[in-house]
Amino acid sequence: PLLPQTEKHYQRVLLVDTSASMRRENLWPEALKKSETTLRASKPADDLAVMTFGREVRTLIGFEEWRNASVESRQGLAQGRLNSSRPGWSATSLGKALLAAVELLQEQITKTDEAINRQIVVVSDLQQGSRLDGLQGFEWPKGIEVVFESVAPADPSNASVQWLAETSASFGKEIRPRVRVRNS
């Protein structure tokens, strides 16, 4: 006879990038939308922690606070904390954030946890230059999956050039273009 299979549940850490690059265009609102999708996907039996990261990692909701909140209020609690956060002006230390998330997940492990999927969901623009210090030489624990939910600006650069006009002023027949360079 087949034994009934128990449904696996998740222990997730939602890592949301609050580095300076997330200030560009629509990135922060898009990150909040992607975070909300992860929050909505959580089932009542799932455990969730929410962290933000730039240069430093900050825990907005730990596993215990999530478990102690009523099932009906969990998503609103987490989304409210994320909505009150804002991107800062620091660099992106993704490596430090991933290590903090792994540590938080490993603190939850008990011997009876075979039916638990452990997952880190990273919401970020994954900008070039993201620091991955600490991951080199780190042996990634078995059973912890990383999912990247990337956000991208409509214009992938943070600089733009606008053609203004040509001027021939007193330079003879030489035409000099005028441009405006903007860095956001």
Side-chain angles (χ1 to χ4, degrees), residues 56-112:
E56 300 300 322
V57 181
R58 187 172 147 229
T59 301
L60 299 182
I61 295 180
F63 285 119
E64 190 169 337
E65 185 176 6
W66 177 267
R67 284 183 209 117
N68 290 336
S70 69
V71 172
E72 301 81 30
S73 69
R74 289 175 176 169
Q75 182 183 340
L77 176 67
Q79 196 65 50
R81 300 253 175 100
L82 280 168
N83 289 343
S84 66
S85 298
R86 297 279 179 259
W89 292 104
S90 67
T92 309
S93 290
L94 179 57
K96 185 185 242 183
L98 286 169
L99 291 173
V102 165
E103 186 178 306
L104 195 61
L105 283 168
Q106 287 184 316
E107 288 173 359
Q108 305 301 311
I109 294 175
T110 66
K111 291 182 181 181
T112 60

Side-chain angles (χ1 to χ4, degrees), residues 24-26 152-160 182:
R24 294 180 294 160
E25 287 185 38
N26 62 327
D155 180 9
S157 70
N158 64 349
S160 64
R182 186 177 67 146

Side-chain angles (χ1 to χ4, degrees), residues 38-174:
T38 298
L39 293 170
R40 284 186 182 181
S42 295
K43 296 181 177 103
D46 293 345
D47 289 329
L48 186 88
V50 180
M51 303 170 96
T52 58
F53 69 99
R55 182 177 300 123
E56 300 300 322
V57 181
R58 187 172 147 229
T59 301
L60 299 182
I61 295 180
F63 285 119
E64 190 169 337
E65 185 176 6
W66 177 267
R67 284 183 209 117
N68 290 336
S70 69
V71 172
E72 301 81 30
S73 69
R74 289 175 176 169
Q75 182 183 340
L77 176 67
Q79 196 65 50
R81 300 253 175 100
L82 280 168
N83 289 343
S84 66
S85 298
R86 297 279 179 259
W89 292 104
S90 67
T92 309
S93 290
L94 179 57
K96 185 185 242 183
L98 286 169
L99 291 173
V102 165
E103 186 178 306
L104 195 61
L105 283 168
Q106 287 184 316
E107 288 173 359
Q108 305 301 311
I109 294 175
T110 66
K111 291 182 181 181
T112 60
D113 286 342
E114 295 85 29
I116 295 177
N117 293 317
R118 288 181 179 75
Q119 188 178 69
I120 300 170
V121 179
V122 179
V123 179
S124 174
D125 62 346
L126 300 171
Q127 73 165 41
Q128 187 174 14
S130 229
R131 298 184 59 99
L132 295 172
D133 298 354
L135 288 180
Q136 186 174 357
F138 176 72
E139 187 175 334
W140 194 262
K142 291 180 182 175
I144 297 180
E145 172 189 24
V146 179
V147 175
F148 289 97
E149 293 290 339
S150 63
V151 293
D155 180 9
S157 70
N158 64 349
S160 64
V161 177
Q162 179 184 6
W163 187 271
L164 294 177
E166 293 181 4
T167 60
S168 56
S170 62
F171 303 113
K173 294 187 180 201
E174 183 181 343

